[in-house]
Amino acid sequence: MLNALVTLAAEPAGEEAQNPLLPAAYDIIWSAVCFVIIAVVVWRVALPRMAKLLDERSAAIEGNIAKADEAQRQAEAALEEYTAQLAEARKQAGEIREGATQDGRKIVAEAKETAAAEAARITASAHAQIEAERQTALVQLRSEVGTLAVDLAGNVIGETLSDDARANAVVDRFLAELEASEKAAK
């Protein structure tokens, strides 16, 4: 501004005074020409490139949104499929568990039946063995009692009972009386 005042003071007084705030006409013209050239370059070169860049970005963003939507739909479908598979697996696990429980009950029942049958067989076998041993003991006892009875009878009578038929008859009669007295006592 000081420069403009110095220039104004140095100008001859006869010339028209120019406003120091307005530039000279040649400055305005050359500035307008430069502005128009820059505006045309921006309009023809920069704006189409920027529009193209913005369109590419917009298309990329829309593509990414579409991809994200598709990925979300796929994720939801996968989640639904996973949920269905999980429900089916739980159902199958329940069926397997129920089947195993039933099989366990059957096995326990079969084991009880087998054990009962085995116990009955062992009991019957033991009864048969006891009866056989009883019969054996009874036969041995009869022979020993018979021998003792014959010896005692021989001592009481004073004669020897060597006749087997006679001795057997005496022994049988003695044992019959012994059994009869046991039954009467019960």
Side-chain angles (χ1 to χ4, degrees):
M1 176 118 147
L2 183 61
N3 196 13
L5 289 176
V6 172
T7 309
L8 187 61
E11 287 183 10
E15 295 180 18
E16 202 175 296
Q18 191 177 10
N19 186 356
L21 296 177
L22 289 177
Y26 62 89
D27 282 339
I28 292 176
I29 293 173
W30 284 111
S31 295
V33 169
C34 288
F35 178 76
V36 169
I37 291 172
I38 291 173
V40 168
V41 168
V42 167
W43 187 264
R44 294 280 187 184
V45 177
L47 280 179
R49 287 184 183 174
M50 288 190 68
K52 181 180 174 185
L53 179 67
L54 290 175
D55 289 342
E56 288 174 358
R57 279 187 156 187
S58 175
I61 290 171
E62 288 174 2
N64 288 340
I65 290 173
K67 287 178 186 177
D69 288 342
E70 180 63 27
Q72 185 176 3
R73 281 191 294 274
Q74 289 176 352
E76 289 173 356
L79 179 62
E80 289 175 9
E81 182 179 340
Y82 169 75
T83 304
Q85 287 176 349
L86 183 62
E88 181 66 26
R90 285 182 178 160
K91 180 182 174 186
Q92 288 177 353
E95 290 172 358
I96 290 171
R97 195 172 30 249
E98 183 65 30
T101 303
Q102 290 176 355
D103 289 345
R105 288 178 186 154
K106 286 179 185 176
I107 290 171
V108 168
E110 289 174 1
K112 284 181 180 179
E113 289 175 9
T114 304
E118 185 67 19
R121 187 189 63 77
I122 290 172
T123 304
S125 173
H127 283 295
Q129 185 177 1
I130 289 171
E131 185 60 32
E133 288 177 4
R134 184 178 163 275
Q135 290 297 328
T136 304
L138 190 59
V139 168
Q140 287 176 350
L141 184 62
R142 279 183 186 238
S143 69
E144 288 178 18
V145 167
T147 305
L148 286 174
V150 168
D151 289 343
L152 284 174
N155 288 341
V156 169
I157 297 176
E159 58 181 82
T160 308
L161 298 173
S162 58
D163 183 16
D164 284 338
R166 201 172 178 200
N168 282 340
V170 170
V171 168
D172 288 339
R173 189 182 51 142
F174 175 74
L175 288 176
E177 289 175 4
L178 185 62
E179 286 178 0
S181 68
E182 279 183 8
K183 288 182 183 176
K186 286 183 182 179

